[in-house]
Amino acid sequence: MSEKQVFKPNKEFAKNALIKNMCEYQDLQDWATEDYEGFWGSYGKEKLDWMEPFTKVMDDSNFPFVNWFEGGKLNVSSQCIDRHLDTKKNKAAIIFEGDRGDKQIVTYLELYYNVNKFANLLKNKFDVKKGDRVIIYMPMIPEAAYAMLACARLGAIHSVIFGGFSAEAIKDRVKDADAKIIITADGAFRKDKPYMLKPVVDKALEGATPVKKVLVVQRNFEDVEWVAGRDYSYNELIDLESSHCDPEPMDSEDPLFLLYTSGSTGKPKGVQHNSAGYILWAQMTMEWVFDVKENDTYWCTADVGWITGHTYIVYGPLAMGATTVMFEGVPTYPDAGRPWKMVEEYRINQFYTAPTAIRVLHKMGEDEPGKYDLSSLKVLGTVGEPIDPPAWKWYYEAVGNNNCAIVDTYWQTETGGHVISPLPGATPIKPGCATFPLPGIMAEILDDEGNKAPVGEKGLMCITRPWPAMIRGVWGDKERFIKAYFGDVKKDGKPVYFTGDGAVYDDDGYITITGRTDDVINVSGHRMGTAEVEAAIKKHDNVAEVAVVGKPHPLKGEGIFAYILLKEDDGVADELEEMKAINAIIKIEIGNIALCDDMVFVPGLPKTRSGKIMRRILRSIAKGEEITQDISTLEDPGVVDTINKMVNS
Ligand code: WT7
């Protein structure tokens, strides 16, 4: 498989696809380019059911604070449920498979009842109202989706926290969002064993907290501590509520959710998405990129704690009235054939996962796909990091039987939905390449001066016009929002959205993402700020200074590599203890997902005379690369050689 190899869309598939060829793609993109508001206004009318119609498509007079579909009113939970009841009430909305193989099918009518009861419970028992922040810390069970949609129904702003985050991480987010309630579960099942979430919440709520109530879904029925007057059982209360709850009429720009993500400081930022623009793009990209048909079954393996789970397990599929699969377990248990067994059992048509999962499934079960009937598959997707050629090849051949398009979807928490991606019926695919901007998205690779980057030269991945699903703010921090996304790149003298990623055009105009240009790393598809890990490590008493960088990792994509200067360095025996103690602190401060793969105790860090740590040099050393940077301006150039010898000999 050479770099230049191009894979044309399957002809039979393309015949029935929503976008059938590159001419159709180009027509749409030309329309958007020539009449941006006409394009979006037309989709806004066609795709959404409005309680009150919008009067203005976009107002960017206060850029980067942009309003879409002004004057319009709608409710996102109604978009996802109520409007499908006439035609799909008995269609499966969610197919759930538990870790131990237990199955549950939730129709749209059942989803309606469950979400309405959930909303009534939140409203009547816990006084949750429009604008309140609600933390959701849940396993992958249908109740997580009900909780999100119930918040949307009431106009409350949910903030889902991934179940792998620690009590401290929850504490920070609770405080930043000033949340009044947490919805959680006692725990769930993983690899046939119960694991716990409620005790983590209990710990997060020790000391002063704005949270007054905790609603607990009992999933594994393990014993948990119960704080009287604070903790309530969902299972005991839910059936006392009525199954009808009027949806709150929401302005287009009323917030829908916050989702905390890592940036270049130690403090995660609460990315805010609002109602109309977000749900419109979630639905449109679902339809275009996965090309889901009426009787299809679609499975995205992400966790609801990440943006992929928000947009492509819950909101996108339900907004279009599709059937979405939710899976509680891990893809390699009981063996690395689990996903393929599920594809066969549920006749899955679209399968969406991360390169890190593909690499693990490949390594642990190369021949597993061959043991199952995967002929239902039509579209395969990847997300989160660039996919490497061996993983791509195996996915295409062994899983897709050389028949399925692989859509390499590039996007971010901040973009709300896909922004650069192949269209399965139209785009000739090049492995490892996100290809072209989706229609309506004015994505361009720019150089430092804001000019279009020349072919073959790495530039900055930017989006030059606001789009409906764009991040609306960093919760409580306007300055950070402006600085983090609109401070670096200008085009024609005007600031544009910079993703933080580098990218390059090839001769045919295809876009390949080359990775972050900032201090954000990508560990098993989880976004991690090196500053966050550094802040955690610094909590250890004996740590004087620390610098964290990413290092290529065969399965995880990137691993975490920490250079640590101890206050007292007493030799190797103690160092091992020290490493364990430092990882224990990371576990407490952030969670297992941020544990270091490598730690080295160094006598000093390479710094400029002004005191800035030269992370680029440390990245090169971690990779075992030759040091080509000029080190003569360092405070102590000799330290580079010392560290290099410690790491690479
Ligand atoms: C970062 C965003 C988008 C949902 C999952 C991650 C990287 C994402 C791709 C891709 C290369 C990718 C970027 C981006 N990324 N998709 N197809 N090819 N890199 O969301 O946690 O907000 O992370 O993931 O570096 O900035 P996220």
Side-chain angles (χ1 to χ4, degrees), residues 9 17 27 59 62 187 197 201 286 334 393 405 410 431 441 446 476 521 535 539 641:
D27 286 348
D59 178 358
N62 196 21
L197 291 171
V201 170
M286 228 7 250
K393 188 169 186 286
Y410 167 78
I441 301 295
L446 301 176
I521 56 179
K539 298 236 158 142
D641 197 40

Side-chain angles (χ1 to χ4, degrees), residues 255-481:
L256 178 64
F257 65 82
L258 306 179
L259 186 56
Y260 283 83
T261 190
S262 300
S264 48
T265 72
K267 191 173 175 281
K269 42 193 173 184
V271 170
Q272 181 186 329
H273 281 290
N274 290 358
S275 302
Y278 170 81
I279 197 66
L280 173 65
W281 192 232
Q283 180 179 338
M284 286 172 69
T285 49
M286 228 7 250
E287 293 175 355
W288 279 344
V289 174
F290 297 118
D291 210 83
V292 177
K293 302 291 189 226
E294 186 54 37
N295 285 318
D296 284 354
T297 304
Y298 156 92
W299 180 20
C300 164
T301 70
D303 189 284
V304 286
W306 307 109
I307 190 69
T308 311
H310 283 58
T311 310
Y312 297 112
I313 294 178
V314 180
Y315 287 116
L318 298 178
M320 76 166 289
T323 299
T324 180
V325 174
M326 259 181 115
F327 175 48
E328 177 190 40
V330 293
T332 50
Y333 187 83
D335 57 51
R338 180 74 181 264
W340 320 130
K341 181 164 181 276
M342 285 176 63
V343 168
E344 177 179 290
E345 278 185 5
Y346 299 110
R347 319 295 302 144
I348 305 271
N349 304 101
Q350 296 83 13
F351 178 74
Y352 190 31
T353 195
T356 186
I358 298 167
R359 288 192 292 268
V360 170
L361 290 167
H362 181 198
K363 182 163 181 246
M364 293 179 63
E366 183 161 13
D367 301 325
E368 289 295 328
K371 298 182 187 163
Y372 299 93
D373 176 5
L374 307 182
S375 59
S376 57
L377 288 171
K378 296 187 281 190
V379 179
L380 302 174
T382 74
V383 58
E385 53 175 318
I387 178 164
D388 45 293
W392 196 95
K393 188 169 186 286
W394 181 74
Y395 201 30
Y396 190 76
E397 292 172 356
V399 180
N401 193 26
N402 300 297
N403 245 329
C404 304
I406 296 185
V407 289
D408 182 343
T409 62
Y410 167 78
W411 59 300
Q412 315 176 290
T413 304
E414 293 86 343
T415 66
H418 306 143
V419 285
I420 303 176
S421 172
L423 295 163
T427 317
I429 283 166
K430 301 188 187 184
C433 184
T435 73
F436 302 106
L438 289 172
I441 301 295
M442 301 298 146
E444 253 186 281
I445 309 174
L446 301 176
D447 65 16
D448 291 333
E449 265 71 62
N451 299 314
K452 191 168 174 155
V455 170
E457 277 178 38
K458 213 172 169 183
L460 309 168
M461 192 68 249
C462 295
I463 305 178
T464 60
R465 298 200 70 171
W467 66 103
M470 179 176 99
I471 173 177
R472 290 303 196 278
V474 171
W475 187 250
D477 198 342
K478 280 192 173 165
E479 280 313 305
R480 191 169 180 196
F481 170 62

